[in-house]
Amino acid sequence: MAKYILEMDDIVKTFSGVKALDGVDLKVEEGEIHALVGENGAGKSTLMNVLSGVYPHGEYTGDIVFKGETCEFKRLSDSEKKGIVIIHQELALVQFLSVSENIFLGNEQSTKGVIDWGLSNKKAKALLDKVGLKINPQILVAEISVAQQQLVEIAKAMSKEVKLLILDEPTAALNDNDSENLLKLLKEFQKQGITSIIISHKLNEVIDIADKVTIIRDGKTVETLTKDNISEDRIIKGMVGRELTNRFPKRDVEIGETIFEVKNWDVYDETFRDKKKLKNINFHIKKGEVIGIAGLMGAGRTELALSIFGQSFGSKITGEMYKNGNLLKIKSIPEAISNGIAYLSEDRKSAGLNLIQSIRENISIASLDKISKNNIINYGKETKIVEEFREKLNIKSSGISQEVSSLSGGNQQKVAIGKWLLSDPDILFLDEPTRGVDVGAKYEIYSVINEIAAEGKAVCVISSELPEILGMCDRIYAMSEGIFTGEVKNENVTQEELMELMTMNIKEGVS
Ligand SMILES: Nc1ncnc2c1ncn2[C@@H]1O[C@H](COP(=O)(O)OP(=O)(O)OP(=O)(O)O)[C@@H](O)[C@H]1O
Ligand SMILES: [Mg+2]
């Protein structure tokens, strides 16, 4: 008989009358890597929060048995004591503390009652070595990449006696390379006897790594697949309740004249003002066209979009920008918006949304002129419009007054998209538009992109997922180290060729 390290039985969790979990069962065997999948809002993060004591016993019903022992955790530290460590969907490191301070936050290393920084740094270094991260533990978290932050979270987990490691979408913000390294690390941990539960919308990696997959839909367990019957099709069918034959909706749009053009765009860093971040960028977008910018992390894609979007990144910006042939002089975000430019941030939590406000307020914030008269908001109009977007984007919530912080990750992303759709831009930059979004909802977002293109607008997609770039874009610019290294028509390029352009080593570099 299988030896379960964890059995969760008939878990029910309600938020103000709405059942987020409606009798979920989950059984995890000792030493396995178990994937948890389901649509946005299905209840995955909630289930893991129940397990780790974020939602204390009493706030849910059902049983949790861990290592043969019935557990009634009251708080996170109770589950940690048993060796259950969770790394949340939205990273929770303190940006302006050092890596080592973060690793030992709440578990400070002391000698004779005084924090021992030497000891902390030494121990932190050993933990960082374990996860293969070669950085100085005294560096601030704000200075390292998201992939590195993810590894710091894992190092932090390793500082505790972990038996069951829970990772909630650990690779959502990582590129293929970094994701692969992280998954390798999980395999390493498996060899050391650590059991893992991983939540992910990247089904290819789920198939790669998982020994078992449990599918959740609408707060209920659909089924658990074992190694011999795991397949993408079966997972998708279980998740969305139907087959998804095509991942990318067809676009049938006539491409028109150039609507937007950027010429000789040079941008210096904001902090290190002698450092050139973007060099001589030239590109254009035609009406009805969807272009893509492909590049590795750090290539400068986000910086480019931000510098165009009201100079919200960079210093000493030179070059020209034209809309319909007219020179644009844009120096602030409000000016960018009023000139019909929109930018969906890659980081919804810190830059894209106001988390403590409702869906209503978040969606209407960039379009107040559309719903107000004499500077007074017409709430009736706002409600009607926001409701329309909630429906169109299928945002799972109790209503438009639900606070955005309490939405599931993927549904937060849809709110961020709704905000910019409502602003009805002519030129829309979408930076990682489907980060953390489930396969079905991805299709819906792509359909919305197609609608925008069909209206004769211009769309620029920035994405780390090459299949997405190749599935959605008419033309692609490849970028490496702040320089455009190539421009290709979609039909003429393969993923490998694109990768080659993206990793091109520019000898002269950006000087
Ligand atoms: N604190 C909360 N208050 C109210 N509702 C909540 C709260 N937390 C979660 N919910 C609701 O519970 C449901 C499940 O959310 P959960 O975050 O578990 O989804 P998920 O499966 O992790 O989705 P995603 O893939 O988008 O991260 C959602 O409908 C969400 O709106
Ligand atoms: Mg989640």
Side-chain angles (χ1 to χ4, degrees):
M1 210 182 82
K3 185 170 180 279
Y4 294 117
I5 186 171
L6 171 72
E7 290 176 76
M8 296 182 84
D9 188 33
D10 199 19
I11 306 291
V12 175
K13 165 78 189 144
T14 310
F15 292 106
S16 25
V18 181
K19 268 189 186 165
L21 301 177
D22 191 10
V24 177
D25 301 319
L26 175 69
K27 286 189 170 60
V28 178
E29 259 180 74
E30 178 128 39
E32 75 184 2
I33 298 179
H34 197 113
L36 194 58
V37 299
E39 284 185 306
N40 297 130
K44 305 177 295 294
S45 299
T46 305
L47 186 67
M48 292 301 104
N49 285 335
V50 164
L51 169 58
S52 58
V54 171
Y55 300 131
H57 181 256
E59 283 191 15
Y60 64 88
T61 60
D63 296 320
I64 302 176
V65 177
F66 184 68
K67 286 188 157 272
E69 191 186 325
T70 301
C71 298
E72 298 184 347
F73 301 131
K74 289 269 178 282
R75 55 189 75 79
L76 194 65
S77 55
D78 292 350
S79 66
E80 282 186 352
K81 276 186 208 127
K82 299 278 176 201
I84 301 174
V85 180
I86 182 165
I87 298 178
H88 288 284
Q89 185 163 4
E90 314 287 349
L91 292 181
L93 297 174
V94 185
Q95 295 288 313
F96 290 98
L97 286 184
S98 72
V99 167
S100 127
E101 282 168 317
N102 266 285
I103 289 178
F104 295 112
L105 196 64
N107 175 25
E108 282 73 13
Q109 304 300 298
S110 56
T111 313
K112 292 183 189 150
V114 180
I115 294 185
D116 186 337
W117 295 116
L119 180 67
S120 308
N121 290 331
K122 200 170 142 216
K123 281 192 169 176
K125 185 89 191 69
L127 289 164
L128 293 173
D129 279 346
K130 259 193 176 174
V131 299
L133 190 55
K134 290 177 188 56
I135 53 169
N136 179 348
Q138 284 167 281
I139 196 170
L140 292 184
V141 162
E143 291 177 55
I144 61 176
S145 72
V146 184
Q148 291 172 324
Q149 290 187 28
Q150 191 64 254
L151 291 172
V152 170
E153 287 266 19
I154 296 177
K156 182 173 178 165
M158 290 297 131
S159 72
K160 302 157 191 163
E161 283 272 313
V162 50
K163 298 198 172 61
L164 173 65
L165 181 63
I166 304 165
L167 300 124
D168 195 348
E169 295 191 38
T171 61
L174 305 191
N175 63 25
D176 287 350
N177 239 348
D178 290 332
S179 301
E180 205 175 302
N181 286 336
L182 192 140
L183 298 179
K184 266 194 204 141
L185 196 61
L186 278 198
K187 286 260 185 212
E188 266 316 299
F189 291 162
Q190 185 175 31
K191 283 188 197 137
Q192 296 163 25
I194 296 175
T195 310
S196 314
I197 298 178
I198 178 172
I199 297 177
S200 176
H201 288 292
K202 296 185 179 174
L203 299 184
N204 54 346
E205 73 185 27
V206 165
I207 285 170
D208 251 14
I209 193 165
D211 299 306
K212 282 208 205 105
V213 180
T214 292
I215 307 166
I216 300 190
R217 184 163 78 235
D218 293 335
K220 294 190 179 75
T221 305
V222 176
E223 61 175 339
T224 296
L225 306 176
T226 48
K227 203 78 196 169
D228 46 326
N229 60 9
I230 295 176
S231 76
E232 263 196 50
D233 286 346
R234 181 139 172 194
I235 293 177
I236 292 172
K237 186 143 187 262
M239 277 174 68
V240 300
R242 62 186 155 84
E243 306 218 12
L244 199 66
T245 43
N246 200 349
R247 297 286 174 89
F248 300 98
K250 262 206 156 31
R251 184 169 57 245
D252 195 10
V253 175
E254 194 143 320
I255 293 175
E257 302 279 292
T258 294
I259 176 171
F260 186 67
E261 186 160 18
V262 169
K263 282 186 177 168
N264 309 321
W265 200 248
D266 274 359
V267 176
Y268 284 81
D269 196 80
E270 272 178 351
T271 323
F272 307 103
R273 295 169 70 96
D274 291 335
K275 193 171 170 225
K276 206 180 241 188
K277 288 293 277 191
L278 304 169
K279 190 179 178 189
N280 196 27
I281 304 283
N282 289 279
F283 72 96
H284 66 277
I285 318 177
K286 293 179 179 157
K287 274 191 180 161
E289 195 179 34
V290 178
I291 69 154
I293 301 183
L296 299 179
M297 219 170 265
R301 300 162 302 169
T302 295
E303 287 81 355
L304 173 61
L306 285 173
S307 66
I308 290 168
F309 186 58
Q311 305 203 348
S312 38
F313 169 85
S315 62
K316 296 188 278 181
I317 299 176
T318 54
E320 299 98 52
M321 203 161 40
Y322 298 89
K323 183 177 158 189
N324 293 323
N326 301 317
L327 186 65
L328 292 179
K329 293 250 179 241
I330 294 176
K331 296 239 183 291
S332 68
I333 292 175
E335 282 172 17
I337 295 175
S338 62
N339 276 287
I341 303 177
Y343 167 72
L344 172 79
S345 166
E346 64 172 336
D347 184 355
R348 59 175 173 259
K349 193 178 168 200
S350 71
L353 295 167
N354 186 342
L355 292 173
I356 57 164
Q357 284 195 320
S358 64
I359 298 179
R360 166 206 290 275
E361 286 155 316
N362 272 280
I363 288 191
S364 65
I365 189 74
S367 314
L368 294 178
D369 54 327
K370 289 193 178 60
I371 52 162
S372 53
K373 207 171 165 187
N374 302 330
N375 289 332
I376 296 173
I377 293 177
N378 178 336
Y379 283 100
K381 205 167 176 186
E382 186 185 36
T383 305
K384 190 167 166 285
I385 292 182
V386 173
E387 271 296 353
E388 265 172 39
F389 276 88
R390 184 170 85 104
E391 235 161 78
K392 187 183 176 103
L393 294 165
N394 200 3
I395 299 170
K396 195 175 175 215
S397 58
S398 53
I400 57 171
S401 35
Q402 185 171 343
E403 195 178 285
V404 165
S405 65
S406 71
L407 292 179
S408 81
N411 283 296
Q412 290 184 7
Q413 181 69 11
K414 294 186 197 173
V415 172
I417 292 176
K419 167 170 90 173
W420 291 117
L421 289 187
L422 177 57
S423 81
D424 194 23
D426 302 316
I427 303 128
L428 179 58
F429 286 88
L430 298 168
D431 200 348
E432 307 288 358
T434 63
R435 178 171 284 176
V437 168
D438 71 57
V439 273
K442 270 186 179 165
Y443 189 90
E444 288 160 21
I445 290 175
Y446 299 144
S447 302
V448 169
I449 293 177
N450 284 354
E451 276 175 37
I452 300 171
E455 287 169 21
K457 295 174 172 172
V459 183
C460 172
V461 175
I462 297 172
S463 174
S464 301
E465 286 182 42
L466 287 186
E468 177 164 281
I469 292 262
L470 290 165
M472 281 308 291
C473 302
D474 300 301
R475 216 155 35 83
I476 302 155
Y477 292 95
M479 191 172 188
S480 171
E481 297 172 38
I483 294 176
F484 272 6
T485 49
E487 176 194 342
V488 284
K489 284 218 155 153
N490 191 340
E491 56 271 23
N492 303 335
V493 70
T494 63
Q495 191 158 322
E496 288 69 33
E497 287 162 348
L498 200 53
M499 197 55 159
E500 212 164 285
L501 290 170
M502 286 158 55
T503 47
M504 208 182 228
N505 207 342
I506 299 121
K507 288 210 175 52
E508 52 181 309
V510 183
S511 57

Coordinates of all heavy atoms in Angstrom, one line a residue, residues 29-80:
E29 N 2.3 11.1 -1.9 CA 3.2 10.0 -1.4 C 4.5 10.5 -1.0 O 5.0 11.5 -1.6 CB 3.4 8.9 -2.5 CG 2.6 7.7 -2.4 CD 2.8 6.7 -3.5 OE1 3.9 6.1 -3.5 OE2 2.0 6.6 -4.4
E30 N 5.1 9.9 -0.1 CA 6.5 10.3 0.4 C 7.5 10.3 -0.7 O 7.5 9.3 -1.5 CB 6.9 9.4 1.5 CG 8.2 9.7 2.1 CD 8.2 9.8 3.6 OE1 7.5 9.0 4.3 OE2 9.0 10.7 4.1
G31 N 8.2 11.4 -0.9 CA 9.3 11.4 -1.8 C 8.9 11.8 -3.2 O 9.8 11.9 -4.1
E32 N 7.6 12.0 -3.5 CA 7.3 12.3 -4.9 C 7.2 13.8 -5.2 O 7.2 14.6 -4.2 CB 5.9 11.6 -5.3 CG 4.7 12.3 -4.7 CD 3.4 11.5 -5.0 OE1 3.5 10.4 -5.6 OE2 2.4 12.0 -4.6
I33 N 7.2 14.1 -6.5 CA 6.9 15.5 -6.9 C 5.5 15.5 -7.4 O 5.2 14.8 -8.4 CB 7.9 16.0 -7.9 CG1 9.4 15.9 -7.4 CG2 7.6 17.4 -8.4 CD1 10.4 16.4 -8.4
H34 N 4.7 16.2 -6.7 CA 3.2 16.1 -7.0 C 2.8 17.5 -7.5 O 3.0 18.5 -6.9 CB 2.5 15.8 -5.7 CG 1.1 15.3 -5.9 ND1 0.7 14.1 -5.6 CD2 0.0 16.0 -6.4 CE1 -0.6 13.9 -5.9 NE2 -1.0 15.1 -6.4
A35 N 2.2 17.5 -8.7 CA 1.8 18.8 -9.3 C 0.3 19.0 -9.0 O -0.5 18.1 -9.0 CB 2.1 18.8 -10.8
L36 N 0.0 20.3 -8.7 CA -1.4 20.7 -8.5 C -1.8 21.7 -9.6 O -1.1 22.7 -9.7 CB -1.4 21.3 -7.1 CG -2.8 21.6 -6.4 CD1 -3.5 20.2 -6.3 CD2 -2.5 22.2 -5.1
V37 N -2.7 21.3 -10.4 CA -3.1 22.2 -11.5 C -4.6 22.5 -11.5 O -5.4 21.8 -10.9 CB -2.7 21.5 -12.9 CG1 -1.3 21.3 -13.0 CG2 -3.5 20.2 -13.1
G38 N -5.0 23.5 -12.2 CA -6.4 23.9 -12.2 C -6.5 25.4 -12.8 O -5.5 26.1 -12.8
E39 N -7.6 25.7 -13.2 CA -7.8 27.1 -13.7 C -7.6 28.2 -12.7 O -7.6 27.9 -11.5 CB -9.3 27.2 -14.2 CG -9.6 26.5 -15.5 CD -11.0 26.8 -15.9 OE1 -12.0 26.6 -15.1 OE2 -11.2 27.3 -17.1
N40 N -7.4 29.4 -13.2 CA -7.3 30.5 -12.3 C -8.5 30.6 -11.4 O -9.7 30.6 -11.9 CB -7.2 31.8 -13.0 CG -5.9 31.9 -13.9 OD1 -6.0 32.2 -15.1 ND2 -4.8 31.5 -13.3
G41 N -8.3 30.6 -10.1 CA -9.4 30.7 -9.1 C -10.0 29.3 -8.7 O -11.0 29.2 -8.0
A42 N -9.3 28.2 -9.2 CA -9.8 26.9 -8.9 C -9.7 26.6 -7.4 O -10.4 25.7 -6.9 CB -9.1 25.8 -9.7
G43 N -8.7 27.2 -6.8 CA -8.5 26.9 -5.3 C -7.2 26.4 -4.9 O -7.0 26.0 -3.8
K44 N -6.2 26.4 -5.9 CA -4.9 25.8 -5.6 C -4.2 26.5 -4.4 O -3.7 25.8 -3.5 CB -4.0 25.8 -6.9 CG -4.7 25.2 -8.1 CD -3.8 25.3 -9.3 CE -3.6 26.7 -9.8 NZ -4.8 27.4 -10.3
S45 N -4.0 27.8 -4.5 CA -3.3 28.5 -3.5 C -4.0 28.4 -2.2 O -3.4 28.3 -1.1 CB -3.1 30.0 -3.9 OG -2.4 30.1 -5.1
T46 N -5.4 28.5 -2.2 CA -6.2 28.4 -1.0 C -5.9 27.1 -0.3 O -5.7 27.0 0.9 CB -7.7 28.6 -1.3 OG1 -7.8 29.8 -2.0 CG2 -8.5 28.6 -0.1
L47 N -5.9 26.0 -1.1 CA -5.7 24.7 -0.5 C -4.3 24.6 0.2 O -4.2 24.1 1.3 CB -5.7 23.6 -1.6 CG -5.6 22.2 -1.1 CD1 -6.9 21.8 -0.3 CD2 -5.5 21.2 -2.3
M48 N -3.3 25.2 -0.5 CA -1.9 25.2 0.1 C -1.9 26.1 1.4 O -1.1 25.8 2.3 CB -0.9 25.6 -0.9 CG -0.7 24.6 -2.0 SD -0.2 22.9 -1.4 CE -1.7 22.0 -1.5
N49 N -2.7 27.2 1.4 CA -2.7 28.0 2.5 C -3.4 27.3 3.7 O -3.1 27.6 4.9 CB -3.4 29.4 2.2 CG -2.5 30.3 1.4 OD1 -1.3 30.2 1.5 ND2 -3.1 31.2 0.6
V50 N -4.4 26.5 3.4 CA -5.0 25.7 4.4 C -4.0 24.7 5.0 O -3.8 24.6 6.2 CB -6.3 24.9 3.9 CG1 -6.7 23.8 4.8 CG2 -7.4 25.9 3.6
L51 N -3.3 24.1 4.1 CA -2.3 23.1 4.5 C -1.2 23.7 5.5 O -0.8 23.1 6.4 CB -1.7 22.4 3.3 CG -0.5 21.5 3.5 CD1 -0.8 20.4 4.5 CD2 0.1 21.0 2.2
S52 N -0.8 24.9 5.1 CA 0.3 25.4 5.8 C -0.1 26.3 7.0 O 0.8 26.8 7.7 CB 1.2 26.2 4.9 OG 0.5 27.3 4.3
G53 N -1.4 26.3 7.3 CA -1.8 27.0 8.5 C -2.0 28.5 8.3 O -2.2 29.3 9.3
V54 N -1.9 29.0 7.1 CA -2.2 30.5 6.8 C -3.6 30.7 7.2 O -4.0 31.7 7.8 CB -1.9 30.8 5.4 CG1 -2.4 32.2 5.0 CG2 -0.4 30.7 5.0
Y55 N -4.5 29.8 6.8 CA -5.9 29.8 7.2 C -5.9 28.7 8.4 O -5.8 27.5 8.1 CB -6.8 29.4 6.1 CG -6.8 30.4 5.0 CD1 -6.7 29.9 3.7 CD2 -6.8 31.7 5.2 CE1 -6.6 30.8 2.6 CE2 -6.7 32.6 4.1 CZ -6.6 32.2 2.8 OH -6.6 33.0 1.8
P56 N -6.1 29.2 9.6 CA -5.9 28.3 10.7 C -7.1 27.3 10.8 O -8.2 27.5 10.3 CB -5.9 29.2 11.9 CG -6.5 30.5 11.5 CD -6.3 30.6 10.0
H57 N -6.8 26.2 11.5 CA -7.8 25.2 11.8 C -9.0 25.9 12.5 O -8.8 26.7 13.3 CB -7.3 24.1 12.7 CG -8.3 23.0 13.0 ND1 -9.0 22.9 14.2 CD2 -8.7 22.0 12.2 CE1 -9.8 21.9 14.1 NE2 -9.7 21.3 12.9
G58 N -10.2 25.5 12.0 CA -11.4 26.2 12.5 C -12.0 27.1 11.4 O -13.2 27.3 11.3
E59 N -11.1 27.6 10.5 CA -11.6 28.4 9.4 C -11.9 27.6 8.2 O -12.3 28.1 7.2 CB -10.5 29.5 9.0 CG -10.5 30.6 10.0 CD -9.6 31.8 9.4 OE1 -9.3 31.8 8.2 OE2 -9.3 32.7 10.2
Y60 N -11.6 26.3 8.3 CA -12.0 25.4 7.2 C -12.5 24.1 7.9 O -12.3 23.9 9.1 CB -10.7 25.0 6.3 CG -9.6 24.3 7.1 CD1 -9.6 22.9 7.2 CD2 -8.6 25.0 7.7 CE1 -8.6 22.2 7.9 CE2 -7.6 24.3 8.5 CZ -7.7 23.0 8.5 OH -6.7 22.3 9.2
T61 N -13.1 23.2 7.1 CA -13.5 21.9 7.6 C -12.8 20.8 6.8 O -12.3 21.1 5.7 CB -15.0 21.7 7.5 OG1 -15.4 21.7 6.2 CG2 -15.8 22.7 8.4
G62 N -12.7 19.7 7.3 CA -12.0 18.6 6.7 C -10.7 18.2 7.5 O -10.4 18.9 8.5
D63 N -10.1 17.1 7.0 CA -8.9 16.6 7.8 C -7.6 16.7 7.1 O -7.5 16.5 5.9 CB -9.2 15.2 8.2 CG -10.4 15.0 9.1 OD1 -10.6 15.8 10.0 OD2 -11.2 14.0 8.8
I64 N -6.6 17.0 7.9 CA -5.2 17.0 7.3 C -4.4 16.0 8.1 O -4.3 16.1 9.4 CB -4.6 18.4 7.4 CG1 -5.4 19.4 6.7 CG2 -3.1 18.3 6.9 CD1 -4.9 20.8 6.8
V65 N -3.9 15.0 7.4 CA -3.0 14.1 8.1 C -1.6 14.2 7.5 O -1.5 14.0 6.3 CB -3.5 12.6 8.0 CG1 -2.6 11.6 8.7 CG2 -4.9 12.5 8.6
F66 N -0.6 14.5 8.3 CA 0.7 14.6 7.8 C 1.6 13.6 8.6 O 1.6 13.7 9.8 CB 1.2 16.1 8.0 CG 2.6 16.3 7.4 CD1 2.8 16.2 6.0 CD2 3.7 16.6 8.2 CE1 4.1 16.5 5.5 CE2 5.0 16.8 7.7 CZ 5.1 16.7 6.3
K67 N 2.3 12.8 7.9 CA 3.1 11.8 8.5 C 2.4 11.0 9.5 O 2.8 10.8 10.6 CB 4.4 12.4 9.1 CG 5.4 12.8 8.0 CD 6.7 13.2 8.6 CE 7.8 13.1 7.7 NZ 8.5 11.8 7.6
G68 N 1.1 10.6 9.2 CA 0.3 9.8 10.0 C -0.3 10.5 11.2 O -1.0 9.8 12.0
E69 N -0.1 11.8 11.3 CA -0.6 12.5 12.5 C -1.6 13.5 12.0 O -1.4 14.3 11.1 CB 0.6 13.2 13.1 CG 0.4 13.8 14.4 CD 1.7 14.6 14.8 OE1 2.8 14.2 14.4 OE2 1.5 15.7 15.4
T70 N -2.8 13.5 12.7 CA -3.8 14.5 12.3 C -3.3 15.9 12.8 O -2.8 16.1 13.9 CB -5.1 14.2 13.0 OG1 -5.5 12.9 12.6 CG2 -6.2 15.2 12.7
C71 N -3.3 16.9 11.9 CA -2.8 18.2 12.2 C -3.9 19.3 12.2 O -4.7 19.3 11.3 CB -1.7 18.6 11.1 SG -0.4 17.5 11.1
E72 N -3.8 20.1 13.2 CA -4.7 21.2 13.3 C -3.9 22.5 13.5 O -3.8 23.0 14.6 CB -5.7 21.0 14.4 CG -6.5 19.8 14.2 CD -7.6 19.5 15.3 OE1 -7.5 20.2 16.4 OE2 -8.5 18.7 15.1
F73 N -3.3 22.9 12.4 CA -2.3 24.1 12.5 C -3.1 25.4 12.8 O -4.1 25.7 12.2 CB -1.5 24.3 11.2 CG -0.7 23.0 10.9 CD1 -0.7 22.5 9.6 CD2 0.1 22.4 11.8 CE1 0.0 21.4 9.3 CE2 0.9 21.3 11.5 CZ 0.8 20.8 10.2
K74 N -2.5 26.1 13.7 CA -3.1 27.4 14.1 C -2.5 28.6 13.3 O -3.0 29.6 13.2 CB -3.0 27.7 15.6 CG -3.9 26.8 16.4 CD -5.3 27.4 16.7 CE -6.2 26.5 17.4 NZ -6.8 25.5 16.6
R75 N -1.2 28.3 13.0 CA -0.5 29.4 12.2 C 0.6 28.7 11.4 O 0.9 27.5 11.6 CB 0.1 30.4 13.2 CG 1.0 29.8 14.3 CD 1.3 30.7 15.4 NE 0.2 31.0 16.3 CZ -0.2 30.2 17.2 NH1 0.4 29.1 17.5 NH2 -1.2 30.5 18.0
L76 N 1.2 29.6 10.6 CA 2.3 29.1 9.6 C 3.4 28.4 10.4 O 3.9 27.3 10.0 CB 2.8 30.3 8.9 CG 3.7 30.0 7.6 CD1 2.8 29.3 6.6 CD2 4.2 31.3 7.1
S77 N 3.8 29.0 11.5 CA 5.0 28.4 12.2 C 4.6 27.0 12.7 O 5.6 26.2 12.9 CB 5.4 29.3 13.4 OG 4.3 29.5 14.2
D78 N 3.4 26.7 13.0 CA 3.0 25.3 13.4 C 3.3 24.3 12.3 O 3.9 23.2 12.6 CB 1.5 25.2 13.7 CG 1.1 26.0 14.9 OD1 2.0 26.5 15.6 OD2 -0.1 26.2 15.2
S79 N 3.0 24.6 11.1 CA 3.3 23.7 10.0 C 4.8 23.6 9.7 O 5.3 22.6 9.4 CB 2.5 24.1 8.7 OG 3.0 25.3 8.2
E80 N 5.5 24.8 9.9 CA 6.9 24.8 9.6 C 7.6 23.9 10.6 O 8.6 23.2 10.3 CB 7.5 26.2 9.8 CG 7.2 27.0 8.5 CD 7.9 28.4 8.5 OE1 8.4 28.8 9.6 OE2 7.8 29.0 7.4

